[in-house]
Amino acid sequence: MRTLLRASICLGLLGLGCDQLAPTNTEPPLPSKLQRDAALALVRGLDSVGRVDRADAKLMTFDEYVRVAGPVRTHSGDPQATPTVGFGLTLGQERPVWAVAISGQVWPSGRVPVFFGAAPSATPTPYPPYRWAIFLIDAVPGTLMVIGDAGVGDVWPGVFANLPNHRVAP
């Protein structure tokens, strides 16, 4: 009888431990015109994305993105230049966004430089690509909103693991 009781207790404790290890998505669903795969495909098809070594997408509100990742950082063509922080996008926006992380080759300012008031250049940017970027897709219309950040030091944005992930509302 004691052996049966011990076995029952061990199985019960093991079951409790497994429940806590299993990933659960307790975030409320958010509206989105796009599903995850469509958000990934949208970003992969952009001219500013070259080779893709890894890609992932998470649905969240813009506020959640800023709280975890910090403000939007606008990068110039030169990966060694300091990014501009802020870009006029701030907290107070409950709009749903897909944060799509790409590693491989990314040019946050585009591969071909933009010239204002002069003839456009037909040659690609002289700068090397960034190694990763997080693109923010406005989930309701399903369009690119902004590149939230990019980097060259690592091969994947470290903050991406900490971002929440909501389900798409039915």
Side-chain angles (χ1 to χ4, degrees):
M1 188 65 161
R2 283 187 188 185
T3 305
L4 183 59
L5 180 61
R6 286 184 189 156
S8 295
I9 291 172
C10 286
L11 287 174
L13 291 174
L14 183 60
L16 285 174
C18 288
D19 284 345
Q20 292 182 3
L21 293 177
T24 57
N25 188 347
T26 59
E27 303 291 344
L30 293 174
S32 178
K33 177 180 180 180
L34 304 174
Q35 295 293 321
R36 180 182 176 278
D37 289 345
L40 287 165
L42 187 147
V43 171
R44 283 176 178 259
L46 296 173
D47 287 340
S48 58
V49 175
R51 186 189 76 246
V52 176
D53 297 331
R54 181 178 173 191
D56 200 358
K58 293 182 177 184
L59 181 62
M60 67 204 67
T61 66
F62 183 76
D63 276 349
E64 289 172 325
Y65 175 82
V66 171
R67 271 191 230 111
V68 175
V72 168
R73 293 170 185 88
T74 305
H75 293 269
S76 69
D78 182 1
Q80 303 308 316
T82 304
T84 303
V85 177
F87 193 68
L89 298 172
T90 59
L91 285 171
Q93 297 189 30
E94 289 297 319
R95 86 173 54 186
V97 297
W98 283 100
V100 179
I102 297 287
S103 73
Q105 294 178 321
V106 182
W107 290 268
S109 293
R111 287 188 227 194
V112 178
V114 176
F115 292 92
F116 297 98
S121 171
T123 60
T125 179
Y127 299 115
Y130 286 70
R131 296 178 77 184
W132 62 265
I134 299 177
F135 295 79
L136 298 178
I137 306 296
D138 195 331
V140 174
T143 56
L144 177 65
M145 189 167 113
V146 69
I147 296 176
D149 201 1
V152 293
D154 297 317
V155 296
W156 187 251
V159 72
F160 192 78
N162 299 327
L163 292 173
N165 192 18
H166 294 256
R167 297 177 315 277
V168 175

Short mmCIF file of all heavy atoms in Angstrom, two decimals, residues 131-170:
data_model
loop_
_atom_site.label_atom_id
_atom_site.label_comp_id
_atom_site.label_asym_id
_atom_site.label_seq_id
_atom_site.Cartn_x
_atom_site.Cartn_y
_atom_site.Cartn_z
N ARG A 131 23.35 42.35 -39.36
CA ARG A 131 23.20 40.91 -39.18
C ARG A 131 21.79 40.52 -38.76
O ARG A 131 21.39 39.38 -38.93
CB ARG A 131 24.21 40.42 -38.15
CG ARG A 131 25.64 40.61 -38.65
CD ARG A 131 26.65 40.18 -37.65
NE ARG A 131 26.72 38.71 -37.66
CZ ARG A 131 27.46 38.03 -36.83
NH1 ARG A 131 28.20 38.63 -35.94
NH2 ARG A 131 27.48 36.71 -36.89
N TRP A 132 21.02 41.47 -38.19
CA TRP A 132 19.65 41.18 -37.78
C TRP A 132 18.85 42.48 -37.72
O TRP A 132 19.42 43.56 -37.63
CB TRP A 132 19.58 40.46 -36.43
CG TRP A 132 20.15 41.26 -35.28
CD1 TRP A 132 21.42 41.18 -34.79
CD2 TRP A 132 19.49 42.26 -34.49
NE1 TRP A 132 21.59 42.08 -33.76
CE2 TRP A 132 20.41 42.75 -33.54
CE3 TRP A 132 18.20 42.79 -34.49
CZ2 TRP A 132 20.09 43.74 -32.61
CZ3 TRP A 132 17.88 43.78 -33.57
CH2 TRP A 132 18.82 44.23 -32.63
N ALA A 133 17.54 42.31 -37.75
CA ALA A 133 16.63 43.45 -37.58
C ALA A 133 15.29 42.94 -37.06
O ALA A 133 14.93 41.78 -37.28
CB ALA A 133 16.44 44.22 -38.88
N ILE A 134 14.58 43.82 -36.36
CA ILE A 134 13.20 43.54 -35.94
C ILE A 134 12.30 44.52 -36.69
O ILE A 134 12.39 45.73 -36.51
CB ILE A 134 13.01 43.70 -34.42
CG1 ILE A 134 13.89 42.72 -33.65
CG2 ILE A 134 11.53 43.48 -34.05
CD1 ILE A 134 13.82 42.87 -32.13
N PHE A 135 11.47 43.97 -37.56
CA PHE A 135 10.51 44.74 -38.33
C PHE A 135 9.19 44.75 -37.58
O PHE A 135 8.77 43.72 -37.05
CB PHE A 135 10.29 44.09 -39.71
CG PHE A 135 11.50 44.10 -40.58
CD1 PHE A 135 12.52 43.19 -40.40
CD2 PHE A 135 11.62 45.02 -41.61
CE1 PHE A 135 13.64 43.19 -41.22
CE2 PHE A 135 12.74 45.03 -42.44
CZ PHE A 135 13.75 44.11 -42.24
N LEU A 136 8.53 45.90 -37.53
CA LEU A 136 7.22 45.99 -36.90
C LEU A 136 6.17 46.15 -37.99
O LEU A 136 6.22 47.09 -38.79
CB LEU A 136 7.16 47.16 -35.92
CG LEU A 136 8.13 47.06 -34.74
CD1 LEU A 136 8.02 48.29 -33.85
CD2 LEU A 136 7.91 45.80 -33.94
N ILE A 137 5.25 45.20 -38.03
CA ILE A 137 4.16 45.18 -39.01
C ILE A 137 2.89 45.61 -38.29
O ILE A 137 2.54 45.02 -37.26
CB ILE A 137 3.97 43.76 -39.58
CG1 ILE A 137 5.27 43.20 -40.15
CG2 ILE A 137 2.83 43.73 -40.59
CD1 ILE A 137 5.82 43.95 -41.31
N ASP A 138 2.21 46.62 -38.79
CA ASP A 138 0.92 47.02 -38.24
C ASP A 138 -0.06 45.89 -38.57
O ASP A 138 -0.38 45.65 -39.73
CB ASP A 138 0.47 48.34 -38.86
CG ASP A 138 -0.66 48.99 -38.08
OD1 ASP A 138 -1.45 48.26 -37.45
OD2 ASP A 138 -0.76 50.22 -38.12
N ALA A 139 -0.51 45.16 -37.55
CA ALA A 139 -1.23 43.91 -37.75
C ALA A 139 -2.61 44.07 -38.37
O ALA A 139 -3.06 43.19 -39.10
CB ALA A 139 -1.35 43.16 -36.42
N VAL A 140 -3.31 45.16 -38.09
CA VAL A 140 -4.69 45.29 -38.59
C VAL A 140 -4.72 45.54 -40.10
O VAL A 140 -5.39 44.83 -40.82
CB VAL A 140 -5.48 46.35 -37.78
CG1 VAL A 140 -6.84 46.58 -38.39
CG2 VAL A 140 -5.62 45.87 -36.33
N PRO A 141 -3.97 46.54 -40.63
CA PRO A 141 -3.97 46.65 -42.08
C PRO A 141 -3.00 45.65 -42.74
O PRO A 141 -3.07 45.42 -43.94
CB PRO A 141 -3.53 48.09 -42.34
CG PRO A 141 -2.73 48.47 -41.16
CD PRO A 141 -3.33 47.69 -40.00
N GLY A 142 -2.05 45.11 -41.96
CA GLY A 142 -1.10 44.16 -42.51
C GLY A 142 -0.01 44.81 -43.34
O GLY A 142 0.38 44.28 -44.38
N THR A 143 0.49 45.97 -42.86
CA THR A 143 1.52 46.71 -43.61
C THR A 143 2.73 47.00 -42.72
O THR A 143 2.61 47.06 -41.50
CB THR A 143 0.96 48.05 -44.12
OG1 THR A 143 0.46 48.80 -43.00
CG2 THR A 143 -0.16 47.84 -45.13
N LEU A 144 3.87 47.20 -43.38
CA LEU A 144 5.09 47.54 -42.65
C LEU A 144 4.91 48.88 -41.95
O LEU A 144 4.47 49.85 -42.57
CB LEU A 144 6.29 47.61 -43.61
CG LEU A 144 7.62 48.03 -42.98
CD1 LEU A 144 8.11 46.99 -41.97
CD2 LEU A 144 8.66 48.25 -44.06
N MET A 145 5.23 48.92 -40.67
CA MET A 145 5.13 50.15 -39.90
C MET A 145 6.50 50.81 -39.81
O MET A 145 6.67 51.97 -40.19
CB MET A 145 4.60 49.81 -38.49
CG MET A 145 4.24 50.98 -37.65
SD MET A 145 3.31 50.40 -36.20
CE MET A 145 4.46 50.78 -34.93
N VAL A 146 7.50 50.07 -39.31
CA VAL A 146 8.83 50.62 -39.11
C VAL A 146 9.78 49.47 -38.75
O VAL A 146 9.34 48.40 -38.34
CB VAL A 146 8.81 51.69 -37.96
CG1 VAL A 146 8.57 51.05 -36.62
CG2 VAL A 146 10.05 52.54 -37.95
N ILE A 147 11.07 49.71 -38.92
CA ILE A 147 12.06 48.76 -38.40
C ILE A 147 12.36 49.22 -36.99
O ILE A 147 12.79 50.35 -36.77
CB ILE A 147 13.33 48.73 -39.27
CG1 ILE A 147 12.97 48.22 -40.66
CG2 ILE A 147 14.39 47.84 -38.63
CD1 ILE A 147 14.11 48.22 -41.65
N GLY A 148 12.08 48.35 -36.02
CA GLY A 148 12.23 48.72 -34.61
C GLY A 148 13.67 48.80 -34.14
O GLY A 148 14.01 49.61 -33.30
N ASP A 149 14.53 47.95 -34.69
CA ASP A 149 15.94 47.95 -34.30
C ASP A 149 16.70 47.04 -35.27
O ASP A 149 16.11 46.23 -35.97
CB ASP A 149 16.12 47.46 -32.86
CG ASP A 149 17.44 47.90 -32.24
OD1 ASP A 149 18.23 48.61 -32.90
OD2 ASP A 149 17.70 47.53 -31.08
N ALA A 150 18.02 47.19 -35.28
CA ALA A 150 18.89 46.36 -36.11
C ALA A 150 20.25 46.32 -35.44
O ALA A 150 20.57 47.18 -34.61
CB ALA A 150 19.00 46.92 -37.52
N GLY A 151 21.04 45.33 -35.77
CA GLY A 151 22.35 45.23 -35.14
C GLY A 151 23.34 44.41 -35.94
O GLY A 151 22.98 43.69 -36.86
N VAL A 152 24.61 44.55 -35.54
CA VAL A 152 25.68 43.81 -36.19
C VAL A 152 26.49 42.98 -35.21
O VAL A 152 27.22 42.09 -35.62
CB VAL A 152 26.64 44.77 -36.96
CG1 VAL A 152 25.93 45.41 -38.13
CG2 VAL A 152 27.23 45.81 -36.04
N GLY A 153 26.37 43.24 -33.92
CA GLY A 153 27.20 42.55 -32.93
C GLY A 153 26.84 41.09 -32.73
O GLY A 153 27.71 40.24 -32.57
N ASP A 154 25.57 40.77 -32.75
CA ASP A 154 25.10 39.40 -32.56
C ASP A 154 24.42 38.94 -33.83
O ASP A 154 24.13 39.72 -34.71
CB ASP A 154 24.10 39.35 -31.39
CG ASP A 154 24.74 39.75 -30.07
OD1 ASP A 154 25.86 39.30 -29.80
OD2 ASP A 154 24.11 40.51 -29.32
N VAL A 155 24.11 37.63 -33.88
CA VAL A 155 23.42 37.11 -35.06
C VAL A 155 21.91 37.07 -34.88
O VAL A 155 21.18 36.81 -35.83
CB VAL A 155 23.93 35.70 -35.46
CG1 VAL A 155 25.38 35.76 -35.87
CG2 VAL A 155 23.72 34.72 -34.34
N TRP A 156 21.42 37.35 -33.67
CA TRP A 156 19.99 37.33 -33.38
C TRP A 156 19.69 38.38 -32.32
O TRP A 156 20.49 38.55 -31.38
CB TRP A 156 19.58 35.94 -32.88
CG TRP A 156 18.11 35.76 -32.71
CD1 TRP A 156 17.44 35.67 -31.52
CD2 TRP A 156 17.11 35.65 -33.73
NE1 TRP A 156 16.09 35.50 -31.74
CE2 TRP A 156 15.86 35.48 -33.09
CE3 TRP A 156 17.14 35.68 -35.11
CZ2 TRP A 156 14.67 35.35 -33.79
CZ3 TRP A 156 15.96 35.55 -35.81
CH2 TRP A 156 14.74 35.37 -35.15
N PRO A 157 18.56 39.09 -32.42
CA PRO A 157 18.25 40.10 -31.39
C PRO A 157 17.94 39.43 -30.05
O PRO A 157 16.95 38.70 -29.92
CB PRO A 157 17.03 40.81 -31.97
CG PRO A 157 16.42 39.84 -32.92
CD PRO A 157 17.54 39.02 -33.47
N GLY A 158 18.76 39.68 -29.06
CA GLY A 158 18.60 39.06 -27.75
C GLY A 158 17.27 39.37 -27.08
O GLY A 158 16.72 38.55 -26.36
N VAL A 159 16.72 40.55 -27.33
CA VAL A 159 15.48 40.97 -26.70
C VAL A 159 14.27 40.20 -27.22
O VAL A 159 13.24 40.14 -26.57
CB VAL A 159 15.28 42.50 -26.87
CG1 VAL A 159 14.92 42.84 -28.31
CG2 VAL A 159 14.24 43.03 -25.92
N PHE A 160 14.40 39.57 -28.38
CA PHE A 160 13.25 38.92 -29.00
C PHE A 160 12.65 37.82 -28.11
O PHE A 160 11.43 37.66 -28.05
CB PHE A 160 13.62 38.34 -30.37
CG PHE A 160 12.43 37.91 -31.17
CD1 PHE A 160 11.66 38.85 -31.82
CD2 PHE A 160 12.08 36.58 -31.26
CE1 PHE A 160 10.54 38.47 -32.56
CE2 PHE A 160 10.98 36.19 -32.00
CZ PHE A 160 10.20 37.14 -32.65
N ALA A 161 13.48 37.10 -27.39
CA ALA A 161 12.99 36.02 -26.51
C ALA A 161 12.10 36.57 -25.40
O ALA A 161 11.22 35.85 -24.90
CB ALA A 161 14.16 35.26 -25.91
N ASN A 162 12.27 37.80 -25.01
CA ASN A 162 11.50 38.40 -23.91
C ASN A 162 10.19 39.03 -24.36
O ASN A 162 9.39 39.44 -23.53
CB ASN A 162 12.34 39.45 -23.19
CG ASN A 162 13.59 38.85 -22.59
OD1 ASN A 162 13.61 37.70 -22.17
ND2 ASN A 162 14.66 39.61 -22.58
N LEU A 163 9.98 39.15 -25.66
CA LEU A 163 8.75 39.78 -26.17
C LEU A 163 7.56 38.84 -25.97
O LEU A 163 7.69 37.63 -26.12
CB LEU A 163 8.90 40.12 -27.65
CG LEU A 163 9.90 41.21 -28.00
CD1 LEU A 163 10.07 41.31 -29.51
CD2 LEU A 163 9.48 42.54 -27.41
N PRO A 164 6.39 39.40 -25.64
CA PRO A 164 5.20 38.56 -25.47
C PRO A 164 4.72 38.06 -26.83
O PRO A 164 5.17 38.54 -27.88
CB PRO A 164 4.17 39.51 -24.85
CG PRO A 164 4.60 40.87 -25.30
CD PRO A 164 6.10 40.82 -25.40
N ASN A 165 3.82 37.09 -26.80
CA ASN A 165 3.28 36.54 -28.05
C ASN A 165 1.81 36.23 -27.84
O ASN A 165 1.46 35.31 -27.11
CB ASN A 165 4.05 35.29 -28.46
CG ASN A 165 3.71 34.86 -29.87
OD1 ASN A 165 3.17 35.63 -30.66
ND2 ASN A 165 4.03 33.62 -30.19
N HIS A 166 0.95 37.01 -28.48
CA HIS A 166 -0.51 36.81 -28.39
C HIS A 166 -0.97 35.90 -29.52
O HIS A 166 -0.32 35.80 -30.56
CB HIS A 166 -1.24 38.16 -28.52
CG HIS A 166 -0.98 39.10 -27.41
ND1 HIS A 166 -1.90 39.34 -26.41
CD2 HIS A 166 0.08 39.89 -27.11
CE1 HIS A 166 -1.41 40.24 -25.56
NE2 HIS A 166 -0.21 40.59 -25.98
N ARG A 167 -2.13 35.32 -29.33
CA ARG A 167 -2.79 34.58 -30.39
C ARG A 167 -3.54 35.60 -31.27
O ARG A 167 -3.89 36.68 -30.82
CB ARG A 167 -3.82 33.60 -29.82
CG ARG A 167 -3.21 32.52 -28.93
CD ARG A 167 -4.26 31.61 -28.33
NE ARG A 167 -5.45 32.27 -27.78
CZ ARG A 167 -5.54 32.80 -26.55
NH1 ARG A 167 -4.50 32.76 -25.75
NH2 ARG A 167 -6.64 33.35 -26.14
N VAL A 168 -3.79 35.20 -32.52
CA VAL A 168 -4.61 36.04 -33.39
C VAL A 168 -6.07 35.82 -33.01
O VAL A 168 -6.51 34.68 -32.86
CB VAL A 168 -4.39 35.67 -34.87
CG1 VAL A 168 -5.33 36.45 -35.78
CG2 VAL A 168 -2.93 35.93 -35.27
N ALA A 169 -6.81 36.91 -32.82
CA ALA A 169 -8.22 36.82 -32.46
C ALA A 169 -8.99 36.16 -33.60
O ALA A 169 -8.73 36.47 -34.76
CB ALA A 169 -8.78 38.20 -32.16
N PRO A 170 -9.93 35.29 -33.26
CA PRO A 170 -10.72 34.64 -34.31
C PRO A 170 -11.64 35.61 -35.01
O PRO A 170 -11.98 36.65 -34.58
CB PRO A 170 -11.54 33.59 -33.55
CG PRO A 170 -11.36 33.85 -32.11
CD PRO A 170 -10.26 34.85 -31.94
#
